[in-house]
Amino acid sequence: MHLYTRCMSATYPIAEARGKLGDLARRAAQHEHITLTDRGVPTAVLVSPAELEDLEDALALARLERDRALGRSEAPIPHNEARRALLEAAGRGE
């Protein structure tokens, strides 16, 4: 687990970001959060793959802790198994 601290962030309209996508992706890879907007409304955020993985892990842990606090005893599905099932379903157009 990496647990990066949030360093910098920037916001770009999609039309402007289109011409800078390579640079913005490289900046996101360095843990800068890049928010893309459509008519002033935030629509997407570019983050590094490592940071996304950390966020997914934190969410899974929070859900597990919530379920335990609520007395739910179902065994959680490991992230890699859930991801594989979702990718297979997406490949079938479900």
Side-chain angles (χ1 to χ4, degrees):
M1 197 173 215
H2 302 94
L3 298 177
Y4 297 102
T5 58
R6 186 172 179 169
C7 297
M8 297 181 61
S9 64
T11 301
Y12 292 89
I14 290 174
E16 182 182 342
R18 192 172 285 127
K20 300 178 178 185
L21 189 55
D23 177 57
L24 296 177
R26 285 186 285 279
R27 287 169 54 186
Q30 297 300 313
H31 307 290
E32 182 175 347
H33 295 179
I34 308 293
T35 301
L36 304 180
T37 61
D38 187 12
R39 296 178 180 87
V41 177
T43 57
V45 178
L46 299 177
V47 297
S48 73
E51 191 166 0
L52 176 60
E53 183 179 327
D54 286 347
L55 290 169
E56 289 171 337
D57 289 347
L59 180 58
L61 181 58
R63 287 178 174 158
L64 177 62
E65 290 174 354
R66 177 205 59 203
D67 289 347
R68 284 182 178 163
L70 294 173
R72 297 179 185 161
S73 61
E74 294 178 19
I77 299 171
H79 176 71
N80 61 340
E81 288 181 29
R83 185 174 191 278
R84 185 174 355 98
L86 288 172
L87 289 173
E88 288 173 3
R92 293 190 303 264
E94 293 179 9

